[in-house]
Amino acid sequence: MTTDTICALATATGGALGIIRISGPQALEILSHVFSKDLTNVEPNTIHYGHIKADEEMIDEVMVSVFRAPHSYTGENSAEISCHGSRYILNKVLELLIQNGCRMAEPGEYTQRAFLNGKMDLSQAEAVADLIASSNKATHQIAMSQLRGHFSSELSRLREKLLKLTSLLELELDFSDHEDLEFADRSELLSIANDINTRVIRLAKSFETGQALKQGIPVAIVGKTNVGKSTLLNRLLHEDRAIVSDIHGTTRDTIEDTIDLNGVTFRFIDTAGIRQTTDTIEQIGIERTYAAIEKARIVIWMIEEKAGREEIEELLQLTKGKEAIVVCNKADKIDFDAFVPPIVPLLCISAKTGYNIDKLESKLFETANIPELTDNDIIVTSARQYDSLVHAEENLSRVLEGLETNLSGDLIAEDLRLVLSDLAEITGDKGIIQSQEVLNNIFQHFCVGK
């Protein structure tokens, strides 16, 4: 596949401009057949004005950027045609390129070629997709950190320590019959292994945060019927997303939407009010409320001034093991002189007027406990990378056990090789990632043109 010259549209249609990318061994020769200028001998990293032609007909005035191997995104000869965004023009240019020897690129094929040509490792390639899909400041920072190679550098440092550990064990085996020689005692080896294990565990644990930031932190809004859950959702979203009514049981299914708070996405789930009912449809909605509580990371439990002990006990039981924020709604109707708050901490708000909504948003962000990210922070967001880290952690536990029980060095060395292999799978080191099926599975989720 890498001997083909590929082309694809790299921008959405309908804009003022469109960019078509070409990459492969014949990229400049093929483009020269449809461009008003011969590009085969031009200097790399230059931009050329001209027009795309079909026979003698001019299709469009364009600018062409030229890159030569290995100094291009893919590591191959490549070019980018910047033309007008007309669907007809873009399709016509692609048609001409294909007629002259290009084929349409598969999803993610440009980045796949960059990986195969050594322009980036596999974790950086996955970061490209995350960068394109980033929807807030946090996910953008995480993707940029991986793309810049911070995760790869950390794995490289871990591999160096693992190789040192392996080398010391190999020396121990080679000179085991020389009692007067000591290269490293087991306590030193154990210290190195513990340090590696701590860092691997930290990386694996970051996956939970990574997934929350990537998918949005799930927040379930629950409570009795008619306490203002849908009004609160609409207030948080700044739009009328849910139907609001004084009639009990109006919400009969979960309604989801997201907002951005301080650069982090929160995914709110408005649920059916919890009450005893004989209505079959409403009962299904209530069952989905319980399911939403299970999936949520944070629960906003809404009560009214007249909430009794039984409701509070139900709250404590349902939210056990969850981060819960208790809010007393309809503060605009509360007689605070006579109001006796329940024993649980709560925040009085008015979803209708917006009273204390800013404090609720601050409380949400505080409860989410998202670490303040910098461009150098390493947060794992890929399930594939997480799986490799978990396997590395399992193999490291056997290494530690072997060192503590004075197990033979050759058995410990075998487990160390497995750890090295697990970490190498994350970056796709040469000789480790062999399966085309694995690569296809990673890159097929990219958009065409990237």
Side-chain angles (χ1 to χ4, degrees):
M1 289 177 66
T2 55
T3 60
D4 296 341
T5 298
I6 57 175
C7 64
L9 179 63
T11 53
T13 57
L17 297 175
I19 295 176
I20 293 171
R21 308 179 81 182
I22 312 167
S23 183
Q26 300 299 314
L28 301 181
E29 287 80 2
I30 291 173
L31 183 51
S32 294
H33 287 137
V34 301
F35 189 56
S36 56
K37 179 179 179 180
D38 185 357
L39 299 170
T40 53
N41 295 312
V42 300
E43 290 293 316
N45 307 319
T46 54
I47 299 177
H48 304 268
Y49 167 78
H51 59 266
I52 299 293
K53 52 184 172 44
D55 297 324
E56 295 304 317
E57 178 191 1
M58 186 176 80
I59 303 301
D60 194 18
E61 292 181 302
V62 301
M63 301 292 288
V64 174
S65 305
V66 174
F67 309 92
R68 290 192 182 275
H71 305 296
S72 70
Y73 179 77
T74 59
E76 306 171 325
N77 285 347
S78 62
E80 293 182 358
I81 306 170
S82 179
C83 55
H84 291 96
S86 156
R87 187 182 298 274
Y88 170 78
I89 291 173
L90 295 170
N91 287 339
K92 189 65 178 178
V93 174
L94 287 170
E95 180 186 325
L96 289 170
L97 291 171
I98 292 169
Q99 287 174 359
N100 283 275
C102 281
R103 70 164 172 82
M104 285 296 292
E106 299 292 333
E109 190 170 355
Y110 291 94
T111 305
Q112 184 173 357
R113 289 188 177 204
F115 163 69
L116 293 173
N117 290 326
K119 301 296 291 183
M120 60 179 69
D121 65 34
L122 207 52
S123 67
Q124 289 173 299
E126 288 175 300
V128 173
D130 286 345
L131 186 63
I132 294 170
S134 62
S135 57
N136 55 52
K137 181 181 179 181
T139 51
H140 174 264
Q141 281 183 305
I142 293 169
M144 284 302 299
S145 175
Q146 281 211 22
L147 189 58
R148 289 171 179 168
H150 296 150
F151 188 21
S152 305
S153 297
E154 174 68 2
L155 293 176
S156 179
R157 287 189 288 270
L158 289 176
R159 284 198 296 271
E160 285 177 12
K161 284 180 170 286
L162 285 164
L163 288 170
K164 178 182 178 181
L165 200 57
T166 305
S167 301
L168 290 171
L169 283 170
E170 294 288 352
L171 285 171
E172 181 184 89
L173 288 170
D174 290 343
F175 295 94
S176 58
D177 54 341
H178 294 267
E179 296 181 1
D180 55 331
L181 292 175
E182 184 176 309
F183 295 93
D185 59 28
R186 284 295 177 98
S187 61
E188 181 184 349
L189 298 179
L190 188 60
S191 175
I192 297 171
N194 270 316
D195 179 54
I196 297 168
N197 190 51
T198 299
R199 290 159 78 171
V200 168
I201 290 173
R202 186 175 67 245
L203 288 171
K205 282 186 175 179
S206 74
F207 179 67
E208 182 181 353
T209 299
Q211 281 297 99
L213 292 174
K214 194 173 179 179
Q215 305 296 333
I217 296 171
V219 181
I221 304 174
V222 299
K224 299 292 185 182
T225 57
N226 211 27
V227 293
K229 298 183 298 298
S230 296
T231 305
L232 177 60
L233 177 69
N234 291 342
R235 172 66 63 177
L236 289 167
L237 298 177
H238 302 288
E239 64 173 293
D240 292 335
R241 180 70 174 80
I243 297 173
V244 175
S245 168
D246 291 334
I247 302 171
H248 289 270
T250 302
T251 303
R252 297 189 168 208
D253 200 353
T254 56
I255 301 171
E256 295 189 29
D257 216 327
T258 61
I259 64 168
D260 184 87
L261 293 178
N262 298 331
V264 176
T265 299
F266 286 79
R267 181 160 48 85
F268 291 100
I269 310 163
D270 179 24
T271 63
I274 297 173
R275 67 167 180 166
Q276 296 294 326
T277 180
T278 57
D279 188 306
T280 304
I281 302 299
E282 187 180 353
Q283 184 58 44
I284 293 172
I286 294 170
E287 289 171 4
R288 292 183 179 179
T289 297
Y290 293 131
I293 294 172
E294 282 297 313
K295 294 177 182 177
R297 183 165 170 174
I298 300 172
V299 176
I300 296 177
W301 187 284
M302 296 189 70
I303 62 173
E304 291 182 321
E305 180 184 6
K306 57 179 182 281
R309 182 180 181 84
E310 183 181 332
E311 185 175 344
I312 300 301
E313 288 177 350
E314 184 179 6
L315 152 70
L316 296 172
Q317 197 64 31
L318 280 175
T319 59
K320 191 176 291 184
K322 300 285 182 181
E323 294 287 352
I325 301 174
V326 185
V327 296
C328 184
N329 192 29
K330 305 181 182 179
D332 50 312
K333 298 180 179 179
I334 293 176
D335 179 1
F336 282 99
D337 292 330
F339 178 51
V340 180
I343 303 175
V344 295
L346 60 77
L347 175 66
C348 286
I349 68 165
S350 172
K352 183 178 180 180
T353 67
Y355 173 72
N356 271 350
I357 294 299
D358 56 339
K359 291 184 179 179
L360 175 58
E361 291 176 342
S362 297
K363 185 66 175 176
L364 274 168
F365 190 80
E366 177 189 329
T367 305
N369 195 27
I370 299 298
E372 189 173 342
L373 299 176
T374 68
D375 291 341
N376 296 323
D377 284 326
I378 303 169
I379 304 291
V380 175
T381 58
S382 162
R384 184 192 69 83
Q385 295 169 4
Y386 172 70
D387 187 58
S388 293
L389 289 168
V390 169
H391 281 101
E393 190 180 332
E394 291 170 354
N395 289 320
L396 273 168
S397 67
R398 289 198 296 271
V399 170
L400 291 169
E401 184 181 354
L403 289 170
E404 289 169 347
T405 58
N406 209 28
L407 193 67
S408 172
D410 56 342
L411 297 176
I412 299 174
E414 182 56 35
D415 285 326
L416 280 171
R417 291 188 191 97
L418 291 174
V419 178
L420 281 164
S421 177
D422 292 330
L423 297 183
E425 283 182 357
I426 296 174
T427 53
D429 283 1
K430 190 174 181 181
I432 300 297
I433 295 291
Q434 299 287 351
S435 171
Q436 188 63 40
E437 184 179 355
V438 173
L439 291 181
N440 288 342
N441 184 55
I442 291 170
F443 290 105
Q444 71 182 1
H445 300 294
F446 281 59
C447 54
V448 175
K450 196 61 180 179

